[in-house]
Amino acid sequence: MSQSYSLALLEDTTVTPERLERLAARVDAEESETSLVVRTPITDEPLASVPAATATDVSTAVERAREAGEGWAATPVEERAEVIERFGDLVTANREELQDVVQLETGKARIHAFEELLDVPATCSYYAGTAAEVIADDPRDGAFPLVSDAVVTHDPLGVVGVISPWNYPLTLSMTDAIPALMAGNAVVCKPDERTPFVALALAELLEEAGLPADVFQVVTGEGSTVGPALIDAVEYVAFTGGTETGRVVAERAGRNLIGCSLELGGKNPFIVLADADVADAVRGAVRTAYANAGQLCLAPERIYVAESRYAEFLDAFVEATRSLTLGHAFEYGPDVGSLIDEAHRDRVDDFVQGAVEDGATVVIGGNARPDIGPSWYEPTVLTDVDPDARIACEETFGPVVIVTPVRDEAEAIERANDSSYGLNASVWTADRDRGRAVARRIDCGTVCVNDAFVVGWSAVDAPMGGIGDSGLGRRHGPEGIERFLAVRTVATSRVGPLTFPSALPMDWVARLVSGGLTLKRRIARRLR
Ligand code: NAD
């Protein structure tokens, strides 16, 4: 049920139509009678098709994963770590093809395909190196010293469902799957309809690294069919996507009483304090606001600048924006690639035109660029934006930034926190202690000082995730693997059943036990 097309575009890549057909053939969807055509945003031509899995196909895939996962769960964690490390090496070694596939599916610039690839080996090494410690039995205090003890054990949950979006299809299919696998789970991944091929190429590399067949599977198909079927069949779902879909996923996971993590959207503030190095802040803003043409959950969309530095910042930021090159090449060169499709381009343009109707000024940009490709949009800077306008409140997810002057630090913090989202923020200042103090007052899961997001995202040992409309749960760090473990307490009595002695009157027992407990609490307080 798959087909490929001989596009002229493929001649500039390492990818052939036959290769895409082989990848599509990895999807085991026996019940499927239809297919999904994947188009490349670069030219809006059809690239290849994949099966549209049915709900039955999904439950079959999960059952196969569950069976194969039993052997994987019993594999010592050190051996699992070797497989995952080898996978990280293979991703690096195969980066040319993986980046070609990512660019074909998303239309992003080569540099942004490279950046997303980097996360995978880093995440592999981190969890390969740390999982054993998190998974190890953890002795805890028993109720009474010498009388009893307790130990916490950690087991895999079973099958984890990973539902990933189109914007970073390589990183976001893997960044949750890697800790889930290291924890001993099997994984079934449902990539976005528009970007299934890179997930399929990664499944192949996992097998080449030594992961037993079926422990990691990819099911392709419509989100509204495959997503719910997956949530109904797995023990945990790690979802990355939009806030509205996140609510639907959370409701379904809730009904099934399974855990879920939800990595959702953001409307990320970027604060330039009066003492900041403006040149650094401009470099950071231009590098991140237009990363992946702004289709990045962590990218700044609202910039607040201290009044005294506003003109200086705006002039330099607009000049830096003007210097960006738009275009497509399967090599490093253009700074800004395509948006994912024409519908998304129109959505971004509606945000901008709506803001203009509400009184905003377009300082630079504000136009679609069909001369470059069907879905390109110019990097755009807006000022004079009403704080209640749609563009100031909702995630634009495009190369569009609002710049607003603020009186002082207090107003910057107030404006930054005036949002239903809380994913990522940044603070720019010459005084790092001041930056960290401001960071603690910002309602976001991650706050970066003198960097927009890279310093936070690349600190793989530190958790990342959102609050409010930006989601629930954390990826990266120990928190990123703990969510995929079943925790069990094994408590042992060394003196038989802990009951009250029957040889003494109960009021004596009550006095003795209460006295003993008070003594234990006093000793514990002294030792603290
Ligand atoms: P989306 O919510 O439309 O789709 C995400 C995934 O959910 C896709 O695989 C889709 O097929 C699937 N899906 C659709 N309907 C479903 C359903 N009923 N049940 C289960 N799954 C379903 O999001 P998108 O437009 O692909 O991605 C963009 C959004 O993702 C943005 O809001 C962005 O901010 C967010 N995002 C967040 C992070 C993060 O780490 N916080 C990272 C990247 C993207």
Side-chain angles (χ1 to χ4, degrees), residues 164 166 172 190 193 239-242 245 263-265 297 395 475:
S164 55
W166 49 263
L172 297 173
K190 182 248 163 293
E193 293 84 316
F239 172 82
T240 308
T245 321
E263 302 284 346
L264 310 178
C297 57
E395 183 183 46
R475 60 163 54 113

Side-chain angles (χ1 to χ4, degrees), residues 162-168 172 175-176 190-195 221-231 237 239-246 248-249 252 262-268 295-298 301 340 344 347 395 397 421 423 457 464-466 470-471 475:
V162 169
I163 301 180
S164 55
W166 49 263
N167 63 330
Y168 279 73
L172 297 173
T175 203
D176 296 318
K190 182 248 163 293
D192 190 89
E193 293 84 316
R194 285 159 283 191
T195 54
E222 296 288 353
S224 53
T225 305
V226 174
L230 189 59
I231 301 166
V237 61
F239 172 82
T240 308
T243 300
E244 286 320 308
T245 321
V248 173
V249 168
R252 194 141 192 139
L262 306 166
E263 302 284 346
L264 310 178
K267 188 79 194 171
N268 308 304
Q295 303 164 114
L296 166 61
C297 57
L298 303 169
E301 293 200 1
I340 189 68
H344 187 52
R347 180 180 174 275
E395 183 183 46
F397 221 53
Y421 292 103
L423 189 60
W457 173 259
M464 189 148 224
S470 293
R475 60 163 54 113

Side-chain angles (χ1 to χ4, degrees), residues 46-59:
L47 187 60
S49 63
V50 288
T54 64
T56 311
D57 291 324
V58 176
S59 49

Side-chain angles (χ1 to χ4, degrees), residues 187-269:
V187 171
V188 176
C189 172
K190 182 248 163 293
D192 190 89
E193 293 84 316
R194 285 159 283 191
T195 54
F197 284 103
V198 77
L200 290 162
L202 292 163
E204 193 179 81
L205 292 182
L206 273 165
E207 261 182 48
E208 196 180 329
L211 189 75
D214 290 342
V215 173
F216 178 88
Q217 289 181 54
V218 176
V219 281
T220 53
E222 296 288 353
S224 53
T225 305
V226 174
L230 189 59
I231 301 166
D232 287 350
V234 295
E235 278 70 44
Y236 190 97
V237 61
F239 172 82
T240 308
T243 300
E244 286 320 308
T245 321
R247 289 187 209 284
V248 173
V249 168
E251 276 176 23
R252 194 141 192 139
R255 256 208 310 278
N256 293 338
L257 289 178
I258 60 165
C260 66
S261 53
L262 306 166
E263 302 284 346
L264 310 178
K267 188 79 194 171
N268 308 304

Side-chain angles (χ1 to χ4, degrees), residues 269-285:
F270 180 112
I271 297 175
V272 184
L273 296 176
D275 65 351
D277 179 328
V278 164
D280 262 6
V282 166
R283 257 187 326 124

